[in-house]
Amino acid sequence: MTGSPGGPDHGSGGSEPGPGAAHGRRALLVVGDIVTDVVARHRGPLASGTDTAALIRTLPGGAGANVACWAAHWGCADVRLLGRVGAEAAAWHERELVAGGVRPLLVVDPEAPTGTVICLVDTGAAAERTFLTDSGASLRLEPDDWSDMLLDGVARLHLSGYLLFSASGRALVRTALASARARGVPVSLDPASAGFLGELGADRFLSLVRDVDVLLPSRDEACLLTGIADGAEAAAELSRRVPLVVAKQGADGAVVARDGAVVARVPAVPAAPRDTTGAGDAFTGAFLTALLAGAEPAKAAAEGCAAGALAVERVGGRPPTPTGVVETTRAR
């Protein structure tokens, strides 16, 4: 059950779209990370060298997978996800994606385990989180995992920025972008991680995304990429490099920028945060769904803010599913 999604060895829910799917393209294809989240919710500072009481839950996650699930939850009828997982958790992740309305196109890695992220969430007013990340199989996606057939019936391609933090992922991004350009499929990308972005470097990142149509950074990511301290000004500057920039501003909503100028400021939707994990992914999934439905970017950003508000009131990075999320819970 390893190999390319388009090849004979691909399994795990990965049947290709039929030959008629290219007519009236409507699908969203997300390419990105699928990980297992271990969410530990605690109050106040961690007690170094001893115990800190926490509620711990094991949940499906990953920025790419979360975006796909939120897009499906927000009404996109055909969402597909290409990602790489380890054999030990492939069946569980496949079930959770299917339950979330996503068609999983999973490559099962023969060597690396599924990526794991420990999310430390302070349950204070901001519900801010800190990640400890073992990317595992998720950053081992490579060009051989890509097939041009993956774009059959696809109206938009979304790439998780985590792909840019490994050599094989960068090669896959170049391959996918070239394929999308050849087919006239617009491409969006979320930078994904200010921490990893700092290691990659702003100039290198911007050179890698020069063919992207929509960039969806957080405020911190936009500031890091431009060296500008103001989030709106940073988004405007980025829009000189990418045609459309939609910068997520947390409790301040979002800004939409084109051609070096902010063209819309979208207010946040009030929420009582419990866990901010995946809020940006929720924004992106809802935003892309609205774009696919024909919304203008400012209206699509308003949909994104609404989804982000729902996300922070839930624990974990995924929306609710009709069957509920399979999880384990351990309190101390």
Side-chain angles (χ1 to χ4, degrees), residues 16-65:
E16 289 294 338
H23 302 291
R25 298 181 304 189
R26 303 176 66 87
L28 170 66
L29 173 62
V30 179
V31 181
D33 46 315
I34 303 167
V35 305
T36 299
D37 283 343
V38 180
V39 182
R41 300 177 69 238
H42 62 95
R43 179 171 293 278
L46 296 173
S48 178
T50 186
D51 292 320
T52 298
L55 181 66
I56 301 173
R57 305 171 74 181
T58 301
L59 302 166

Side-chain angles (χ1 to χ4, degrees), residues 306-318:
L310 287 179
V312 300
E313 294 184 332
R314 294 179 51 77
V315 175
R318 300 274 180 93

